[in-house]
Amino acid sequence: MTGLLRGELKAFLLIGTMFALMAAIACQGERGPAGATGAPGAPGNPGNPGATGPAGADGADGADGADGTTQIAGIIVFDASGPSTGAAELTGGNASITIIGGGFDKGESISVSAKKSGFDKLLSSSTPKTNDSLTIGNENGAFELTVDLEGWDAGLYTVLATGDKGHRGASAFLLVDKIDG
């Protein structure tokens, strides 16, 4: 009898499985709408670097540049009242200096200035309407300019001469208090 029950159980399971499969196939409906896109996944690990490529060929040499010019001029400052070079004596906050320069072109217009309290102070005179400097290089490219300094303090100052043709010169001068004695 156990053999009969085993055979009936197998038949029952086989028949039950067939009905379950038919019910699953018969219950299929139409496809529904697509769902929302899911969040992106975590980024993957970077790949290994590629092999280094061969070096490129050397490029052609560039054209030679224009020859440089040295447009450096020289200037010297004197005490206008005496033979002292590079220094001038103050009397009551006033002094008179003479500036000479060379290395400029003939007829070159030259602006002369000095640094005072961190600012450039024009020492050379200029025309009122065109602001052209009245200090001009002579036939030898030299100039002379005497300037009265009023209200200056004792100290070391830079003087700069700049020509309109690109020549430049710089120097320094010292103003010292006059000591009676």
Side-chain angles (χ1 to χ4, degrees):
M1 174 142 164
T2 348
L4 182 63
L5 282 173
R6 272 192 223 169
E8 288 178 5
L9 185 59
K10 286 182 185 178
F12 177 73
L13 286 174
L14 185 59
I15 292 170
T17 304
M18 281 179 32
F19 279 119
L21 284 173
M22 286 202 289
I25 292 172
C27 293
Q28 182 177 359
E30 290 191 29
R31 181 177 281 197
T37 304
N45 292 331
N48 292 329
T52 302
D58 286 342
D61 288 343
D64 288 343
D67 289 341
T69 57
T70 304
Q71 295 187 337
I72 299 172
I75 57 176
I76 298 174
V77 180
F78 295 93
D79 186 337
S81 63
S84 177
T85 302
E89 287 186 0
L90 284 167
T91 304
N94 299 325
S96 184
I97 60 172
T98 298
I99 305 162
I100 62 171
F104 296 89
D105 284 347
K106 175 183 177 182
E108 186 168 6
S109 179
I110 304 160
S111 294
V112 181
S113 62
K115 288 275 188 194
K116 181 180 181 205
S117 301
F119 296 98
D120 289 331
K121 177 162 177 51
L122 188 63
L123 301 179
S124 55
S125 301
S126 59
T127 58
K129 290 185 180 181
T130 62
N131 206 28
D132 292 335
S133 178
L134 297 176
T135 304
I136 306 293
N138 67 10
E139 66 274 1
N140 299 316
F143 74 91
E144 178 183 357
L145 174 66
T146 299
V147 181
D148 291 325
L149 304 176
E150 296 178 11
W152 287 57
D153 296 323
L156 187 61
Y157 296 91
T158 295
V159 62
L160 178 67
T162 305
D164 65 348
K165 295 182 183 172
H167 296 91
R168 294 172 55 114
S171 187
F173 65 96
L174 181 65
L175 293 179
V176 294
D177 283 326
K178 184 176 181 178
I179 299 174
D180 292 328

